[in-house]
């Protein structure tokens, strides 16, 4: 059983684990351009593995930018700012299924699973359906309902691909707007399918909670645990968010970063934070 699954179940570990949200930070650390990082599976896998090794991370996240999944399905994405922006969604995208071998984030997950040692686990990240639908609607010509249906299909297919790559956990990642909008019947149906997928592959389903979001056990369900950006969620297993450069004030068995690590974060701050977590253990 993975260490993430162990803490989600509430079982004790000999030391706390730290599972930060790592995306563009790994590209910065390895001096990889955003376009190369997000489009090249070998480059992304190497950058994430090196980041995990340098900082002694207990887990590494794959697929943190939702535009990566949109691009894998055939959408056109601009990476020039470091964050993916969907510029158009060709009509054929709605008919295409994800090919795991040609989907960068799934290829990365598979590569990391084969190359990382047992000290670092892989978390497969899928965007929340509402978050991805809004991103797709910027380039989608057929309306928000079609974008939501496409987003739901892509998220479910990606989750299945991560399961086949034997990730340690699935994480549903929403921004604040997507989290607030994720109450529609279509979104909730997709989330139930995600829960069934996680159950089939026997891995925990995690949900991010953006800073300031109103969340409780019902809102987190059907996920098994939460990765909040500020306050732990009452009634469900939650990682305690910590920020590089700030003291760790709450002892816990499980820590995460307070949101995605800033690509411009001075590396010594993350190094000091990991050292503090190890010392406190």
């Amino acid at each position: 059983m993975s260490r993430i699954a162990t803490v989600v179940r509430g079982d004790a570990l000999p030391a706390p684990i730290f599972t930060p949200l790592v995306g563009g930070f790994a590209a910065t650390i390895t001096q990889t351009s955003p376009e190369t990082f997000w489009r090249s599976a070998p480059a992304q896998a190497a950058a994430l593995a090196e980041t995990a090794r340098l900082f002694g991370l207990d887990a590494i996240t794959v697929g943190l930018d939702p535009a990566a999944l949109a691009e894998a399905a055939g959408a056109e994405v601009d990476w020039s700012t470091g964050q993916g922006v969907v510029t158009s969604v060709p009509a054929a995208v709605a008919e295409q299924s994800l090919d795991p071998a040609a989907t960068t984030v799934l290829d990365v997950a598979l590569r990391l699973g084969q190359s990382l040692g047992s000290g670092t686990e892989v978390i497969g990240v899928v965007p929340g359906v509402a978050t991805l639908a809004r991103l797709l609607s910027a380039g989608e010509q057929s309306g928000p309902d079609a974008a939501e249906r496409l987003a739901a299909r892509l998220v479910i297919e990606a989750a299945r691909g991560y399961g086949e790559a034997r990730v340690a956990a699935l994480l549903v990642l929403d921004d604040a707007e997507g989290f607030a909008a994720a109450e529609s019947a279509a979104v909730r149906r997709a989330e139930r399918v995600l829960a069934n997928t996680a159950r089939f592959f026997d891995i925990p389903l995690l949900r991010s909670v953006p800073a300031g979001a109103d969340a409780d056990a019902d809102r987190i369900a059907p996920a098994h645990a939460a990765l909040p950006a500020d306050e732990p969620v009452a009634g469900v297993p939650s990682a305690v968010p910590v920020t590089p450069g700030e003291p760790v004030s709450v002892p816990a068995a499980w820590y995460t970063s307070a949101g995605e690590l800033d690509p411009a974060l001075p590396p010594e701050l993350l190094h000091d934070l990991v050292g503090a977590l190890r010392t406190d253990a």
Side-chain angles (χ1 to χ4, degrees):
M1 179 184 297
S2 72
R3 284 170 294 165
I4 296 173
T6 298
V7 296
V8 168
R9 284 178 45 152
D11 295 336
L13 287 171
I17 61 171
F18 179 41
T19 60
L21 304 183
V22 180
F25 177 75
T28 301
I29 286 296
T30 57
Q31 299 182 328
T32 306
S33 72
E35 184 173 9
T36 298
F37 179 80
W38 289 110
R39 286 180 171 163
S40 167
Q44 187 178 153
L48 290 171
E50 179 66 4
T51 301
R53 185 191 67 79
L54 285 173
F55 297 98
L57 302 180
D58 296 300
I60 200 76
T61 47
V62 177
L64 209 58
D65 193 314
L69 186 56
E71 186 171 59
E76 296 181 8
V77 176
D78 179 5
W79 294 103
S80 61
T81 65
Q83 184 174 10
V85 177
V86 176
T87 56
S88 70
V89 181
V93 170
E95 308 299 327
Q96 294 176 351
S97 295
L98 290 178
D99 176 1
T103 300
T104 299
V105 293
L106 300 182
D107 191 358
V108 170
L110 186 61
R111 289 170 182 267
L112 289 175
Q114 295 170 342
S115 64
L116 287 176
S118 59
T120 304
E121 296 174 352
V122 179
I123 299 175
V125 182
V126 293
V129 172
T131 294
L132 182 58
R134 194 178 73 257
L135 188 68
L136 291 169
S137 66
E140 174 67 62
Q141 304 302 316
S142 53
D145 289 343
E148 188 173 82
R149 290 193 298 272
L150 175 58
R153 180 174 63 78
L154 294 178
V155 166
I156 291 167
E157 289 179 355
R160 188 177 302 116
Y162 280 131
E164 291 170 350
R166 301 302 178 189
V167 297
L170 282 172
L171 170 63
V172 181
L173 186 71
D174 270 310
D175 58 21
E177 188 175 346
F179 189 87
E183 293 291 349
S184 75
V187 170
R188 297 304 270 177
R189 280 196 301 272
E191 290 183 344
R192 287 193 292 272
V193 175
L194 286 179
N196 290 336
T197 300
R199 188 177 303 112
F200 177 82
F201 288 104
D202 195 24
I203 52 178
L205 179 63
L206 317 176
R207 172 169 277 289
S208 72
V209 180
D214 184 18
D216 55 22
D218 289 340
R219 179 64 193 85
I220 295 301
H224 306 120
L227 267 67
D230 44 25
E231 297 294 329
V233 179
V236 297
S238 295
V240 171
V242 291
T243 301
E246 297 183 7
V248 180
S249 57
V250 180
W254 183 18
Y255 296 96
T256 188
S257 54
E260 179 184 354
L261 291 180
D262 186 341
L265 174 72
E268 61 270 18
L269 293 184
L270 181 59
H271 182 272
D272 291 347
L273 174 59
V274 173
L277 296 177
R278 299 287 184 263
T279 301
D280 290 346

